[in-house]
């Protein structure tokens, strides 16, 4: 059973960058057509799409975050990464990674999320 696990620093100071990693364990992604997505949920708010990276290496970002976001990796089907620069307290959220198989219209696997708190 494929499992995803997010990892990151937990606490980040304003204006710094935060790097998060999503790692696959327990099995392998059963297709060469897959999509990795980062999603976040801030306190009291709904889920917010951060960005998606395709099996072919194309990357798509939420326009409101695009200038500060970089998603990399994933070609190995083992790990992919998110970097968010110039963070502010508004970036405080639980960050989730998810994998879609065959189509990006739904998520087949979710991680449990990792808390990122931006505070001085």
């Amino acid at each position: 059973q494929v499992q995803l696990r997010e990892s990151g620093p937990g606490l980040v100071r304003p204006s710094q960058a935060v790097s998060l990693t999503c790692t696959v364990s327990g099995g392998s992604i059963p297709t060469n057509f897959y999509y990795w997505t980062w999603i976040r949920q801030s306190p009291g708010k709904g889920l917010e799409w951060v960005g998606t990276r395709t099996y072919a290496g194309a990357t798509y970002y939420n326009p409101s975050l695009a200038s500060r976001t970089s998603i990399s990796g994933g070609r190995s089907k083992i790990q992919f990464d998110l970097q968010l620069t110039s963070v502010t307290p508004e970036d405080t959220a639980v960050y989730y990674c998810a994998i879609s198989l065959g189509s990006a219209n739904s998520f087949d696997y979710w991680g449990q999320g990792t808390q990122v708190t931006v505070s001085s």
Side-chain angles (χ1 to χ4, degrees):
Q1 177 72 17
V2 170
Q3 295 180 330
L4 305 183
R5 182 171 62 88
E6 305 89 345
S7 58
L11 179 64
V12 187
R13 298 197 181 279
S15 80
Q16 292 186 339
V18 60
S19 295
L20 304 178
T21 296
C22 178
T23 305
V24 176
S25 64
S28 59
I29 299 173
T31 175
N32 288 327
F33 303 99
Y34 55 92
Y35 303 80
W36 300 80
T37 297
W38 285 98
I39 300 154
R40 71 182 187 179
Q41 185 168 28
S42 300
K45 298 184 180 179
L47 296 173
E48 179 182 27
W49 173 64
V50 177
T52 296
R53 186 166 175 85
T54 77
Y55 56 87
T59 310
Y60 304 90
Y61 299 112
N62 184 324
S64 68
L65 301 171
S67 64
R68 302 190 292 120
T69 307
S70 176
I71 294 176
S72 60
R75 298 299 296 272
S76 67
K77 300 203 289 186
I78 296 175
Q79 176 179 309
F80 83 127
D81 304 299
L82 167 69
Q83 184 178 66
L84 186 64
T85 61
S86 303
V87 298
T88 73
E90 286 66 41
D91 294 311
T92 295
V94 178
Y95 286 73
Y96 300 92
C97 62
I99 293 177
S100 307
L101 305 179
S103 166
N105 293 331
S106 62
F107 300 119
D108 296 276
Y109 307 109
W110 280 84
Q112 291 188 334
T114 187
Q115 175 70 46
V116 174
T117 301
V118 181
S119 175
S120 56

